[in-house]
């Protein structure tokens, strides 16, 4: 680099006057200011200069969710403003118009809070509101309803298909403009909704029975897409790792729901159901360990809470089988948290070498 390069000048600054945070390095790589190898070299240099007792535990699954209390403050304001805007516009122009107005407002607010201020939590919230209101506006236009709900009505799955496709296109435009990592997962989720809508259009009589296998297939497809982003960035230094994080959060419930909902809603003893659910999450834990994604477990466990709650209702408060299973599941999560890196060091050598080399190996 030339002598006037800002990176060189920063490195010459005394350490007590300058500290480069992981977020800054992440942004530098994403914006092309430094290469991934150079950023890793800076991290290695920092670790080498940090006493072992002061070094923080390594975490390969860091992502930017909140940058300060101002994020929370702004998010509260966004909720109040967009909620009131939706209320007044709904009274004047109906549900479809209300959703459209809130979608446009979310985009305009993102121009400031996302594009200029680069606030993490408000950006995520604005994107989710934008995607949800675009979807709802299109679906309501096809199937107007007096309330906020929107059924399939007399149009079969057509409103869901069109709404999903329009939302996927709208989120693509949003990502091109603002580059919020969760946008990819929102767009993929809209496409999954379209796939379900197609099922209700093609085979309405068989749709309920076929919905679970379809969701499972979609979940596996989303997981495969997430792994493509993960394998392309094993050092987890670019925006791709954040995109993969959100895709894993989407994939897990799509995979777990078809498997667990049948155990909760259909026949079979509570003991069999409870231990079957536990077996599913053990398998999910192994996958999470291999790919080094705790997000898979978090997303899956969020659904498991509802599943276990339904089992508790079926079993009755005096039945100890389900609470015992929940206790075992909680212990499993705590053990995984404590021994995550040790377990990964044990599992990775058991994988094919070509695959293991492409997975995160910071253990």
């Amino acid at each position: 680099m030339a002598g006037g390069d800002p990176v060189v000048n920063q490195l010459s600054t005394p350490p007590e006057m300058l500290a480069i945070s992981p977020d800054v390095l992440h942004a530098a790589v994403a914006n092309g200011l430094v290469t991934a190898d150079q950023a890793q070299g800076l991290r290695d240099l920092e670790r080498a200069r940090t006493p072992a007792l002061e070094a923080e535990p390594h975490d390969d699954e860091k992502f930017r969710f909140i940058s300060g209390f101002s994020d929370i403050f702004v998010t509260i304001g966004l909720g109040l403003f967009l909620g009131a805007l939706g209320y007044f516009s709904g009274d004047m122009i109906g549900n479809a118009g209300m959703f459209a107005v809130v979608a446009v407002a979310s985009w305009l607010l993102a121009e400031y809070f996302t594009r200029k201020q680069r606030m993490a939590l408000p950006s995520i919230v604005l994107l989710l509101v934008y995607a949800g209101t675009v979807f709802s506006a299109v679906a309501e236009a096809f199937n107007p309803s007096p309330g906020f709900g929107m059924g399939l009505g007399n149009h079969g799955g057509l409103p869901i298909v069109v709404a999903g496709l329009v939302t996927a296109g709208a989120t693509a435009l949003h990502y091109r403009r603002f580059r919020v990592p969760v946008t990819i997962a929102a767009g993929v989720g809209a496409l999954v909704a379209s796939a379900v809508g197609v099922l209700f259009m093609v085979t309405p009589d068989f749709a309920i029975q076929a919905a679970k296998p379809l969701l499972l297939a979609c979940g596996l497809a989303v997981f495969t897409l997430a792994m493509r982003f993960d394998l392309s960035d094993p050092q987890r230094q670019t925006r791709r790792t954040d995109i993969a994080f959100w895709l894993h959060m989407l994939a897990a419930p799509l995979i777990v729901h078809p498997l667990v909902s049948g155990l909760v809603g259909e026949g079979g003893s509570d003991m069999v159901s409870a231990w079957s659910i536990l077996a599913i999450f053990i398998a999910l834990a192994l996958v999470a360990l291999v790919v080094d994604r705790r997000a898979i477990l978090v997303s899956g466990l969020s659904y498991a809470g509802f599943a276990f709650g339904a089992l508790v209702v079926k079993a009755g408060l005096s039945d100890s089988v389900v609470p015992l299973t929940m206790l075992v599941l909680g212990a499993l999560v705590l053990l995984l948290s404590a021994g995550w890196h040790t377990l990964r060091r044990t599992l990775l050598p058991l994988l094919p070498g070509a695959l293991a080399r492409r997975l995160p190996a910071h253990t």
Side-chain angles (χ1 to χ4, degrees):
M1 298 183 190
D5 194 297
V7 175
V8 175
N9 292 338
Q10 287 179 5
L11 291 176
S12 64
T13 306
E16 64 272 15
M17 296 178 62
L18 175 66
I20 303 178
S21 69
D23 285 343
V24 171
L25 281 179
H26 183 93
V29 174
N31 289 282
L33 298 178
V34 297
T35 66
D37 290 338
Q38 290 170 336
Q40 186 60 39
L42 290 171
R43 294 187 184 93
D44 294 340
L45 178 62
E46 182 182 15
R47 282 195 291 268
R49 293 170 59 89
T50 303
L53 292 178
E54 297 180 5
E56 296 182 357
H58 185 79
D59 184 359
D60 290 321
E61 206 170 3
K62 293 180 179 178
F63 78 107
R64 190 169 175 235
F65 182 74
I66 183 170
S67 54
F69 188 77
S70 60
D71 280 31
I72 299 176
F73 187 71
V74 170
T75 301
I76 293 173
L78 291 174
L80 295 173
F81 176 78
L82 293 175
L85 181 64
Y87 175 81
F88 288 114
S89 58
D91 280 346
M92 293 185 291
I93 54 180
N95 288 340
M98 172 197 69
F99 289 128
V101 167
V102 175
V104 172
S106 299
W107 181 291
L108 295 177
L109 289 167
E111 290 287 347
Y112 179 76
F113 291 108
T114 300
R115 190 169 176 84
K116 292 187 177 181
Q117 295 296 315
R118 299 189 180 277
M119 303 182 78
L121 182 59
S123 298
I124 294 171
V125 171
L126 285 171
L127 176 276
L128 294 177
V129 171
Y130 171 76
T133 50
V134 168
F135 185 95
S136 300
V138 177
E140 281 284 338
F142 273 87
N143 186 34
S145 61
F148 288 99
M150 49 185 178
L152 296 175
N154 297 321
H155 302 278
L158 183 61
I160 305 300
V161 174
V162 177
L165 294 176
V166 171
T167 302
T171 53
L173 293 175
H174 194 282
Y175 182 77
R176 184 173 181 178
R177 177 68 173 172
F178 301 109
R179 300 289 179 177
V180 181
V182 69
T183 310
I184 304 298
V188 171
L191 293 178
V192 171
S194 290
V196 174
V198 169
L199 178 65
F200 276 89
M201 287 179 61
V202 176
T203 57
D205 297 331
F206 186 64
I208 299 298
Q209 294 82 355
K212 291 178 183 178
L214 176 62
L215 289 176
L216 179 60
C218 290
L220 294 174
V222 175
F223 176 78
T224 301
L225 179 61
M227 288 307 302
R228 285 182 63 88
F229 281 100
D230 261 342
L231 294 176
S232 66
D233 183 22
Q235 299 300 321
R236 297 188 172 170
Q237 298 174 351
T238 70
R239 185 183 288 111
R240 292 183 178 184
T241 187
D242 295 328
I243 294 173
F245 172 89
W246 290 108
L247 286 171
H248 281 300
M249 290 288 286
L250 173 64
L254 289 175
I255 294 173
V256 173
H257 173 79
L259 300 175
V260 174
S261 61
L263 295 172
V264 175
E266 298 176 1
S269 69
D270 295 328
M271 180 178 292
V272 172
S273 298
W275 287 106
S276 297
I277 293 174
L278 181 60
I280 290 172
F281 282 96
I282 290 176
L284 202 64
L286 290 175
V287 174
L289 278 167
V290 168
V291 302
D292 198 17
R293 279 297 183 186
R294 297 169 183 83
I296 297 175
L297 283 177
V298 171
S299 186
L301 285 171
S302 299
Y303 185 85
F306 293 100
F308 279 121
L311 285 175
V312 169
V313 172
K314 289 176 62 179
L317 295 177
S318 61
D319 194 330
S320 61
V321 174
V322 174
L324 177 60
T325 307
M326 296 175 67
L327 179 65
V328 173
L329 186 60
L332 173 64
V333 173
L334 294 176
L335 288 173
L336 284 172
S337 177
W340 187 269
H341 297 299
T342 301
L343 290 170
R344 289 203 76 235
R345 281 194 293 268
T346 303
L347 285 175
L348 287 181
L350 302 178
L351 300 176
L355 175 60
R357 284 191 294 270
R358 298 184 66 186
L359 293 170
H362 298 295
T363 56

